[in-house]
Amino acid sequence: MTDDATHAPETRSHLYAELAAVGPYGADLGHALITMVEPHPGREREYNRWYEDDHYIAGAMAMPWLYAGRRWVATRDLQLLRYPPASAVAQPVTAGCYISVYWMTAGRYADHMRWTVGINKRLNRDHRVFQDRTHVFTAFQDHVATVYRDGGSGPRDIHALDHPYAGLVVQVIDAGSPGNRGELLAWLREDHLPKRLAGSPAAMVTVFAPTPLPVDRMSYVKPVEGVGTRLTLLWFLQRDPRDGWRDHFADLDTAVAASGLGDVQLVAPFIPTVPGTDRYVDELR
């Protein structure tokens, strides 16, 4: 009689109960993975299917402490709304037609990083990584602030990737120096964002600061730029970003420049993908 247990794959299941019993496990937003990617021309459909059918799950959502995720896309008309033309983030500024955003439990960044480096090495070894793509803007980031348009009414930031928001605007700002980033953040949180959110289609803005990737990161992901000086803002919209773009989002760089606290390096609108479909794939070029 064959003992099936002797043929079971080794998963070290006994460690799971031990790991679950220690460390932070709050229901809050601590960190994010924000990854903006450009599939190579002619490979858009293959990239989309690989990401949705495999990588979104095996390379992200199945990992410990990553508790929410959502994919967004910029069709060509949305790409053409981006600015500034001379972006320090995207060259050209239209590069990066897909972006994925994931939320991570506070205090679990180091634990998650050990797992993600290990799983991505395994995925590469097993030929489950799509190579015909370029990482335009990929970074793990620490959550530093959330500003709400309607105060205590509406979804919280922990719900932002599950709530059916109709659009996303990604704004990247560089402070003049590491010493100035705290002042920039205070101005955004206490002055600029409350004013810009009032009467706008954005329900909230989450603000993040990038962290360096580990030295054993995958070679196709470039080192994180702007550590110590950069802030990434995610504006969650209740309607399509093209609806009211000129009135609410076409001049986000002007006020920042006038403050003297930083320079806007990217403003980029997106709409949500439709999971399980290739919708918008033919509208990227």
Side-chain angles (χ1 to χ4, degrees), residues 154-180:
R156 303 292 85 194
D157 52 17
I158 58 173
H159 309 127
L161 300 181
D162 297 314
H163 187 79
Y165 285 114
L168 176 75
V169 173
V170 179
Q171 181 182 12
V172 180
I173 307 174
D174 283 343
S177 69
N180 292 340

PDB file of all heavy atoms in Angstrom, residues 154-180:
ATOM      1  N   GLY A 154     -17.989  57.725   3.234  1.00  0.00           N
ATOM      2  CA  GLY A 154     -17.458  57.026   2.076  1.00  0.00           C
ATOM      3  C   GLY A 154     -16.414  55.988   2.440  1.00  0.00           C
ATOM      4  O   GLY A 154     -16.010  55.863   3.595  1.00  0.00           O
ATOM      5  N   PRO A 155     -15.941  55.233   1.428  1.00  0.00           N
ATOM      6  CA  PRO A 155     -14.940  54.198   1.666  1.00  0.00           C
ATOM      7  C   PRO A 155     -13.647  54.778   2.233  1.00  0.00           C
ATOM      8  O   PRO A 155     -13.274  55.916   1.941  1.00  0.00           O
ATOM      9  CB  PRO A 155     -14.704  53.608   0.270  1.00  0.00           C
ATOM     10  CG  PRO A 155     -15.921  53.960  -0.518  1.00  0.00           C
ATOM     11  CD  PRO A 155     -16.382  55.276   0.021  1.00  0.00           C
ATOM     12  N   ARG A 156     -12.967  53.979   3.049  1.00  0.00           N
ATOM     13  CA  ARG A 156     -11.645  54.347   3.565  1.00  0.00           C
ATOM     14  C   ARG A 156     -10.569  53.912   2.570  1.00  0.00           C
ATOM     15  O   ARG A 156     -10.830  53.184   1.601  1.00  0.00           O
ATOM     16  CB  ARG A 156     -11.396  53.663   4.912  1.00  0.00           C
ATOM     17  CG  ARG A 156     -12.435  53.957   5.988  1.00  0.00           C
ATOM     18  CD  ARG A 156     -12.407  55.406   6.446  1.00  0.00           C
ATOM     19  NE  ARG A 156     -13.203  56.271   5.571  1.00  0.00           N
ATOM     20  CZ  ARG A 156     -13.154  57.594   5.572  1.00  0.00           C
ATOM     21  NH1 ARG A 156     -12.311  58.234   6.361  1.00  0.00           N
ATOM     22  NH2 ARG A 156     -13.908  58.303   4.762  1.00  0.00           N
ATOM     23  N   ASP A 157      -9.345  54.321   2.822  1.00  0.00           N
ATOM     24  CA  ASP A 157      -8.260  53.979   1.900  1.00  0.00           C
ATOM     25  C   ASP A 157      -8.034  52.470   1.804  1.00  0.00           C
ATOM     26  O   ASP A 157      -7.627  51.966   0.763  1.00  0.00           O
ATOM     27  CB  ASP A 157      -6.965  54.705   2.268  1.00  0.00           C
ATOM     28  CG  ASP A 157      -6.562  54.534   3.725  1.00  0.00           C
ATOM     29  OD1 ASP A 157      -7.065  53.617   4.405  1.00  0.00           O
ATOM     30  OD2 ASP A 157      -5.718  55.337   4.191  1.00  0.00           O
ATOM     31  N   ILE A 158      -8.330  51.727   2.877  1.00  0.00           N
ATOM     32  CA  ILE A 158      -8.164  50.275   2.813  1.00  0.00           C
ATOM     33  C   ILE A 158      -9.109  49.635   1.802  1.00  0.00           C
ATOM     34  O   ILE A 158      -8.876  48.529   1.324  1.00  0.00           O
ATOM     35  CB  ILE A 158      -8.350  49.618   4.192  1.00  0.00           C
ATOM     36  CG1 ILE A 158      -9.739  49.943   4.767  1.00  0.00           C
ATOM     37  CG2 ILE A 158      -7.237  50.041   5.139  1.00  0.00           C
ATOM     38  CD1 ILE A 158     -10.058  49.191   6.043  1.00  0.00           C
ATOM     39  N   HIS A 159     -10.200  50.351   1.448  1.00  0.00           N
ATOM     40  CA  HIS A 159     -11.185  49.822   0.500  1.00  0.00           C
ATOM     41  C   HIS A 159     -10.934  50.281  -0.935  1.00  0.00           C
ATOM     42  O   HIS A 159     -11.644  49.852  -1.848  1.00  0.00           O
ATOM     43  CB  HIS A 159     -12.601  50.287   0.891  1.00  0.00           C
ATOM     44  CG  HIS A 159     -12.962  50.046   2.315  1.00  0.00           C
ATOM     45  ND1 HIS A 159     -13.429  51.044   3.146  1.00  0.00           N
ATOM     46  CD2 HIS A 159     -12.914  48.923   3.072  1.00  0.00           C
ATOM     47  CE1 HIS A 159     -13.664  50.548   4.344  1.00  0.00           C
ATOM     48  NE2 HIS A 159     -13.357  49.262   4.331  1.00  0.00           N
ATOM     49  N   ALA A 160      -9.966  51.162  -1.146  1.00  0.00           N
ATOM     50  CA  ALA A 160      -9.860  51.878  -2.420  1.00  0.00           C
ATOM     51  C   ALA A 160      -9.659  50.960  -3.618  1.00  0.00           C
ATOM     52  O   ALA A 160     -10.118  51.270  -4.725  1.00  0.00           O
ATOM     53  CB  ALA A 160      -8.719  52.904  -2.357  1.00  0.00           C
ATOM     54  N   LEU A 161      -8.989  49.826  -3.430  1.00  0.00           N
ATOM     55  CA  LEU A 161      -8.740  48.930  -4.557  1.00  0.00           C
ATOM     56  C   LEU A 161      -9.870  47.933  -4.767  1.00  0.00           C
ATOM     57  O   LEU A 161      -9.891  47.231  -5.786  1.00  0.00           O
ATOM     58  CB  LEU A 161      -7.414  48.191  -4.360  1.00  0.00           C
ATOM     59  CG  LEU A 161      -6.185  49.088  -4.242  1.00  0.00           C
ATOM     60  CD1 LEU A 161      -4.925  48.252  -4.076  1.00  0.00           C
ATOM     61  CD2 LEU A 161      -6.052  50.020  -5.439  1.00  0.00           C
ATOM     62  N   ASP A 162     -10.800  47.862  -3.831  1.00  0.00           N
ATOM     63  CA  ASP A 162     -11.966  46.992  -3.970  1.00  0.00           C
ATOM     64  C   ASP A 162     -13.212  47.772  -4.388  1.00  0.00           C
ATOM     65  O   ASP A 162     -14.101  47.223  -5.036  1.00  0.00           O
ATOM     66  CB  ASP A 162     -12.257  46.264  -2.651  1.00  0.00           C
ATOM     67  CG  ASP A 162     -11.128  45.335  -2.249  1.00  0.00           C
ATOM     68  OD1 ASP A 162     -10.642  44.595  -3.117  1.00  0.00           O
ATOM     69  OD2 ASP A 162     -10.723  45.353  -1.067  1.00  0.00           O
ATOM     70  N   HIS A 163     -13.265  49.036  -4.003  1.00  0.00           N
ATOM     71  CA  HIS A 163     -14.399  49.871  -4.379  1.00  0.00           C
ATOM     72  C   HIS A 163     -14.359  50.135  -5.892  1.00  0.00           C
ATOM     73  O   HIS A 163     -13.283  50.307  -6.462  1.00  0.00           O
ATOM     74  CB  HIS A 163     -14.339  51.201  -3.615  1.00  0.00           C
ATOM     75  CG  HIS A 163     -15.552  52.057  -3.803  1.00  0.00           C
ATOM     76  ND1 HIS A 163     -16.721  51.836  -3.136  1.00  0.00           N
ATOM     77  CD2 HIS A 163     -15.764  53.135  -4.604  1.00  0.00           C
ATOM     78  CE1 HIS A 163     -17.616  52.743  -3.491  1.00  0.00           C
ATOM     79  NE2 HIS A 163     -17.063  53.537  -4.387  1.00  0.00           N
ATOM     80  N   PRO A 164     -15.509  50.166  -6.571  1.00  0.00           N
ATOM     81  CA  PRO A 164     -15.510  50.330  -8.037  1.00  0.00           C
ATOM     82  C   PRO A 164     -15.257  51.753  -8.508  1.00  0.00           C
ATOM     83  O   PRO A 164     -16.093  52.366  -9.189  1.00  0.00           O
ATOM     84  CB  PRO A 164     -16.908  49.843  -8.429  1.00  0.00           C
ATOM     85  CG  PRO A 164     -17.762  50.138  -7.245  1.00  0.00           C
ATOM     86  CD  PRO A 164     -16.875  49.885  -6.056  1.00  0.00           C
ATOM     87  N   TYR A 165     -14.109  52.300  -8.165  1.00  0.00           N
ATOM     88  CA  TYR A 165     -13.760  53.630  -8.667  1.00  0.00           C
ATOM     89  C   TYR A 165     -13.593  53.582 -10.184  1.00  0.00           C
ATOM     90  O   TYR A 165     -13.075  52.613 -10.740  1.00  0.00           O
ATOM     91  CB  TYR A 165     -12.491  54.147  -7.993  1.00  0.00           C
ATOM     92  CG  TYR A 165     -12.737  54.590  -6.568  1.00  0.00           C
ATOM     93  CD1 TYR A 165     -12.165  53.912  -5.498  1.00  0.00           C
ATOM     94  CD2 TYR A 165     -13.565  55.677  -6.299  1.00  0.00           C
ATOM     95  CE1 TYR A 165     -12.415  54.313  -4.191  1.00  0.00           C
ATOM     96  CE2 TYR A 165     -13.820  56.081  -5.000  1.00  0.00           C
ATOM     97  CZ  TYR A 165     -13.239  55.394  -3.947  1.00  0.00           C
ATOM     98  OH  TYR A 165     -13.498  55.788  -2.660  1.00  0.00           O
ATOM     99  N   ALA A 166     -14.002  54.654 -10.847  1.00  0.00           N
ATOM    100  CA  ALA A 166     -14.030  54.687 -12.309  1.00  0.00           C
ATOM    101  C   ALA A 166     -12.730  55.180 -12.923  1.00  0.00           C
ATOM    102  O   ALA A 166     -12.543  55.069 -14.141  1.00  0.00           O
ATOM    103  CB  ALA A 166     -15.180  55.575 -12.783  1.00  0.00           C
ATOM    104  N   GLY A 167     -11.849  55.738 -12.115  1.00  0.00           N
ATOM    105  CA  GLY A 167     -10.610  56.256 -12.656  1.00  0.00           C
ATOM    106  C   GLY A 167      -9.552  56.427 -11.594  1.00  0.00           C
ATOM    107  O   GLY A 167      -9.842  56.434 -10.384  1.00  0.00           O
ATOM    108  N   LEU A 168      -8.319  56.575 -12.061  1.00  0.00           N
ATOM    109  CA  LEU A 168      -7.164  56.780 -11.188  1.00  0.00           C
ATOM    110  C   LEU A 168      -6.261  57.801 -11.860  1.00  0.00           C
ATOM    111  O   LEU A 168      -6.024  57.732 -13.075  1.00  0.00           O
ATOM    112  CB  LEU A 168      -6.407  55.469 -11.005  1.00  0.00           C
ATOM    113  CG  LEU A 168      -5.106  55.520 -10.198  1.00  0.00           C
ATOM    114  CD1 LEU A 168      -5.415  55.649  -8.704  1.00  0.00           C
ATOM    115  CD2 LEU A 168      -4.261  54.258 -10.447  1.00  0.00           C
ATOM    116  N   VAL A 169      -5.774  58.756 -11.083  1.00  0.00           N
ATOM    117  CA  VAL A 169      -4.750  59.672 -11.575  1.00  0.00           C
ATOM    118  C   VAL A 169      -3.514  59.483 -10.712  1.00  0.00           C
ATOM    119  O   VAL A 169      -3.588  59.564  -9.479  1.00  0.00           O
ATOM    120  CB  VAL A 169      -5.212  61.139 -11.536  1.00  0.00           C
ATOM    121  CG1 VAL A 169      -4.053  62.076 -11.896  1.00  0.00           C
ATOM    122  CG2 VAL A 169      -6.382  61.358 -12.482  1.00  0.00           C
ATOM    123  N   VAL A 170      -2.403  59.187 -11.364  1.00  0.00           N
ATOM    124  CA  VAL A 170      -1.130  58.999 -10.680  1.00  0.00           C
ATOM    125  C   VAL A 170      -0.321  60.279 -10.818  1.00  0.00           C
ATOM    126  O   VAL A 170      -0.071  60.749 -11.937  1.00  0.00           O
ATOM    127  CB  VAL A 170      -0.358  57.812 -11.268  1.00  0.00           C
ATOM    128  CG1 VAL A 170       0.981  57.641 -10.550  1.00  0.00           C
ATOM    129  CG2 VAL A 170      -1.189  56.529 -11.180  1.00  0.00           C
ATOM    130  N   GLN A 171       0.077  60.843  -9.688  1.00  0.00           N
ATOM    131  CA  GLN A 171       0.871  62.069  -9.683  1.00  0.00           C
ATOM    132  C   GLN A 171       2.159  61.804  -8.913  1.00  0.00           C
ATOM    133  O   GLN A 171       2.129  61.297  -7.791  1.00  0.00           O
ATOM    134  CB  GLN A 171       0.093  63.207  -9.025  1.00  0.00           C
ATOM    135  CG  GLN A 171       0.854  64.541  -9.001  1.00  0.00           C
ATOM    136  CD  GLN A 171       0.071  65.647  -8.308  1.00  0.00           C
ATOM    137  OE1 GLN A 171      -0.936  65.393  -7.642  1.00  0.00           O
ATOM    138  NE2 GLN A 171       0.525  66.867  -8.457  1.00  0.00           N
ATOM    139  N   VAL A 172       3.288  62.131  -9.509  1.00  0.00           N
ATOM    140  CA  VAL A 172       4.592  61.941  -8.876  1.00  0.00           C
ATOM    141  C   VAL A 172       5.248  63.310  -8.703  1.00  0.00           C
ATOM    142  O   VAL A 172       5.357  64.076  -9.666  1.00  0.00           O
ATOM    143  CB  VAL A 172       5.495  61.021  -9.714  1.00  0.00           C
ATOM    144  CG1 VAL A 172       6.851  60.838  -9.041  1.00  0.00           C
ATOM    145  CG2 VAL A 172       4.816  59.658  -9.918  1.00  0.00           C
ATOM    146  N   ILE A 173       5.661  63.602  -7.477  1.00  0.00           N
ATOM    147  CA  ILE A 173       6.259  64.899  -7.154  1.00  0.00           C
ATOM    148  C   ILE A 173       7.626  64.667  -6.510  1.00  0.00           C
ATOM    149  O   ILE A 173       7.760  63.827  -5.612  1.00  0.00           O
ATOM    150  CB  ILE A 173       5.378  65.704  -6.179  1.00  0.00           C
ATOM    151  CG1 ILE A 173       3.946  65.814  -6.696  1.00  0.00           C
ATOM    152  CG2 ILE A 173       5.962  67.097  -5.954  1.00  0.00           C
ATOM    153  CD1 ILE A 173       2.989  66.488  -5.709  1.00  0.00           C
ATOM    154  N   ASP A 174       8.614  65.426  -6.939  1.00  0.00           N
ATOM    155  CA  ASP A 174       9.937  65.391  -6.329  1.00  0.00           C
ATOM    156  C   ASP A 174      10.172  66.664  -5.538  1.00  0.00           C
ATOM    157  O   ASP A 174      10.041  67.778  -6.068  1.00  0.00           O
ATOM    158  CB  ASP A 174      11.027  65.268  -7.393  1.00  0.00           C
ATOM    159  CG  ASP A 174      11.150  63.866  -7.947  1.00  0.00           C
ATOM    160  OD1 ASP A 174      10.635  62.932  -7.308  1.00  0.00           O
ATOM    161  OD2 ASP A 174      11.766  63.702  -9.020  1.00  0.00           O
ATOM    162  N   ALA A 175      10.501  66.499  -4.255  1.00  0.00           N
ATOM    163  CA  ALA A 175      10.924  67.635  -3.442  1.00  0.00           C
ATOM    164  C   ALA A 175      12.336  68.042  -3.849  1.00  0.00           C
ATOM    165  O   ALA A 175      13.082  67.257  -4.437  1.00  0.00           O
ATOM    166  CB  ALA A 175      10.880  67.268  -1.963  1.00  0.00           C
ATOM    167  N   GLY A 176      12.705  69.269  -3.497  1.00  0.00           N
ATOM    168  CA  GLY A 176      14.017  69.762  -3.879  1.00  0.00           C
ATOM    169  C   GLY A 176      15.154  69.027  -3.200  1.00  0.00           C
ATOM    170  O   GLY A 176      16.242  68.910  -3.757  1.00  0.00           O
ATOM    171  N   SER A 177      14.907  68.504  -1.997  1.00  0.00           N
ATOM    172  CA  SER A 177      15.921  67.788  -1.240  1.00  0.00           C
ATOM    173  C   SER A 177      15.214  66.903  -0.221  1.00  0.00           C
ATOM    174  O   SER A 177      14.037  67.114   0.087  1.00  0.00           O
ATOM    175  CB  SER A 177      16.860  68.771  -0.523  1.00  0.00           C
ATOM    176  OG  SER A 177      16.164  69.441   0.520  1.00  0.00           O
ATOM    177  N   PRO A 178      15.911  65.908   0.344  1.00  0.00           N
ATOM    178  CA  PRO A 178      15.284  65.078   1.378  1.00  0.00           C
ATOM    179  C   PRO A 178      14.777  65.894   2.553  1.00  0.00           C
ATOM    180  O   PRO A 178      13.740  65.557   3.144  1.00  0.00           O
ATOM    181  CB  PRO A 178      16.419  64.135   1.789  1.00  0.00           C
ATOM    182  CG  PRO A 178      17.280  64.028   0.573  1.00  0.00           C
ATOM    183  CD  PRO A 178      17.245  65.403  -0.043  1.00  0.00           C
ATOM    184  N   GLY A 179      15.466  66.967   2.874  1.00  0.00           N
ATOM    185  CA  GLY A 179      15.034  67.798   3.987  1.00  0.00           C
ATOM    186  C   GLY A 179      13.744  68.546   3.720  1.00  0.00           C
ATOM    187  O   GLY A 179      13.055  68.964   4.660  1.00  0.00           O
ATOM    188  N   ASN A 180      13.392  68.712   2.438  1.00  0.00           N
ATOM    189  CA  ASN A 180      12.182  69.456   2.077  1.00  0.00           C
ATOM    190  C   ASN A 180      10.952  68.571   1.909  1.00  0.00           C
ATOM    191  O   ASN A 180       9.836  69.094   1.788  1.00  0.00           O
ATOM    192  CB  ASN A 180      12.406  70.219   0.761  1.00  0.00           C
ATOM    193  CG  ASN A 180      13.417  71.338   0.910  1.00  0.00           C
ATOM    194  OD1 ASN A 180      13.686  71.787   2.015  1.00  0.00           O
ATOM    195  ND2 ASN A 180      13.983  71.774  -0.202  1.00  0.00           N
TER     196      ASN A 180
END
